[in-house]
Amino acid sequence: MKRFFKDPAAILLSLALIVGLLIPVLSHLAVGTTTAGTTPTVASLPTSTTTTTTTSTPATTATISPTTTATSSPTTTATISPTTTATTSPTTTATSSPTTTATTSPTTTATTSPTTTATTSPTTTGTTSPTTTATAQALVNLGSAGNFVILAKSGISTTGTTSIVGDIGVSPAAATYITGFGLTMDASNVFSTSSLVTGRVYAATYTPPTPTTMTTAVSDMETAYTNAAGRTLPAATELGAGNIGGMTLAPGLYKWSTGLTIPTNVTLSGGANDVWIFQIAQTLTVSSGVHVNLSGGALAKNIFWQVAGQTTLGTTSVFNGNILDQTAIVLNTGATLNGRALAQTAVTLDSNSVIKPN
């Protein structure tokens, strides 16, 4: 009831309804009263009624309907719906989605991928090459075997026009196992000479002290072979899978458990005091026309090829260093050796140039 009296529109509506109900009643009464002779004062009611009806009904209708509709409906809709939608939806979407994506994805990618790649690849690549050049080796002591440019146990032979600078010798084989040289015995019978040799020729069967000298030389050759084969701390093992053609090698120890082939030129680069030792478990083969070159002041006397199998220098090849071979050394036609051929079996020559290194 309190709400009713506080609402003018409700009051006016109620009054309009009451007036609407009273008009027919009053009209009826007026008609009845006039007929009965009663005082016609009530006849003024139509005027009052007409005025009331005309004034009240439009005013009431016009005021109540628009006011109620305009106030209640828009206000409720505008306040509740937009506010709820605008607050809930954007806030939730904007906060959850961007934040989660931005934090998780970029952080994981940036940390994992670059770090792994940068650390692994450069370290592996950069370590291998420098290590190959890092190990220094001492000279292999040839002992008295170093007095010879060619030394063999079972024989030395040559065909064609060979040129040798330095002494050659055999032991325990006799002088008869030195063939193709046209030897001339010296008057002392201690050594012989040959037009192909700029030096002396020795054999175990010559007059003393040559036999002892040759025995010692061969023993020193074998000791030097063992020394070279026993060197440790190689700069590289199995380099080129047994093929070093085209490479430039720094000083150091190189080791192969297989044979070694040199099909194209190779360069040994280093100074006058640097040492190279090559440990080869099987054969050493240098292709025809191939050169083993020296650069940077490297010297042939400081290079040692320790070979368990046969060494073969191809036709017209050029080779540098001391060959310490457990079996045979063969120089094919026109091959050049700047170094020594120290074989525990035989050395075979064919129109070659062999020069003892200084």
Side-chain angles (χ1 to χ4, degrees):
M1 291 297 288
K2 291 180 180 180
R3 179 179 178 184
F4 175 82
F5 286 107
K6 289 181 180 180
D7 190 345
I11 295 172
L12 290 175
L13 180 60
S14 299
L15 289 175
L17 293 172
I18 294 170
V19 172
L21 292 173
L22 288 177
I23 288 173
V25 175
L26 291 176
S27 297
H28 180 72
L29 289 176
V31 174
T33 303
T34 304
T35 304
T38 312
T39 304
T41 53
V42 184
S44 59
L45 287 173
T47 304
S48 177
T49 303
T50 303
T51 303
T52 304
T53 304
T54 304
T55 304
S56 302
T57 302
T60 303
T61 304
T63 304
I64 294 170
S65 177
T67 303
T68 304
T69 305
T71 305
S72 304
S73 176
T75 303
T76 305
T77 305
T79 304
I80 297 173
S81 177
T83 302
T84 304
T85 305
T87 303
T88 307
S89 178
T91 302
T92 305
T93 305
T95 303
S96 303
S97 178
T99 303
T100 305
T101 305
T103 303
T104 306
S105 178
T107 303
T108 305
T109 305
T111 304
T112 306
S113 178
T115 303
T116 305
T117 305
T119 304
T120 307
S121 181
T123 302
T124 306
T125 306
T127 304
T128 305
S129 180
T131 303
T132 302
T133 64
T135 307
Q137 292 288 326
L139 287 169
V140 175
N141 184 2
L142 298 177
S144 61
N147 297 329
F148 295 84
V149 65
I150 297 176
L151 179 63
K153 294 174 70 173
S154 62
I156 302 171
S157 64
T158 186
T159 56
T161 305
T162 292
S163 174
I164 298 173
V165 177
D167 295 345
I168 67 173
V170 292
S171 179
T176 55
Y177 288 91
I178 302 175
T179 62
F181 289 92
L183 297 178
T184 300
M185 180 62 69
D186 179 70
S188 65
N189 291 327
V190 172
F191 63 90
S192 62
T193 59
S194 168
S195 61
L196 304 181
V197 180
T198 303
R200 296 179 176 183
V201 179
Y202 293 90
T205 54
Y206 286 174
T207 301
T210 298
T212 302
T213 300
M214 294 310 299
T215 299
T216 302
V218 168
S219 177
D220 288 347
M221 174 180 69
E222 294 172 338
T223 299
Y225 175 90
T226 302
N227 180 281
R231 294 295 180 95
T232 58
L233 302 177
T237 58
E238 317 303 339
L239 183 65
N243 181 340
I244 59 173
M247 295 186 183
T248 296
L249 304 180
L253 173 65
Y254 297 83
K255 182 181 181 68
W256 290 270
S257 60
T258 61
L260 178 65
T261 61
I262 308 178
T264 57
N265 293 353
V266 64
T267 300
L268 308 185
S269 179
N273 295 318
D274 291 324
V275 176
W276 288 259
I277 300 175
F278 300 93
Q279 296 174 335
I280 305 164
Q282 297 178 23
T283 61
L284 168 61
T285 303
V286 181
S287 297
S288 296
V290 169
H291 290 206
V292 174
N293 298 312
L294 306 181
S295 69
L299 299 177
K301 69 178 182 178
N302 297 333
I303 302 167
F304 302 88
W305 304 83
Q306 175 261 311
V307 187
Q310 178 175 298
T311 296
T312 303
L313 305 185
T315 302
T316 70
S317 62
V318 177
F319 194 83
N320 282 283
N322 303 291
I323 303 172
L324 290 162
D325 202 303
Q326 196 173 29
T327 58
I329 300 173
V330 177
L331 279 67
N332 288 331
T333 306
T336 297
L337 171 60
N338 297 311
R340 295 178 175 88
L342 308 178
Q344 294 185 35
T345 59
V347 175
T348 303
L349 308 171
D350 182 1
S351 303
N352 305 122
S353 174
V354 182
I355 301 171
K356 179 183 176 183
N358 295 320

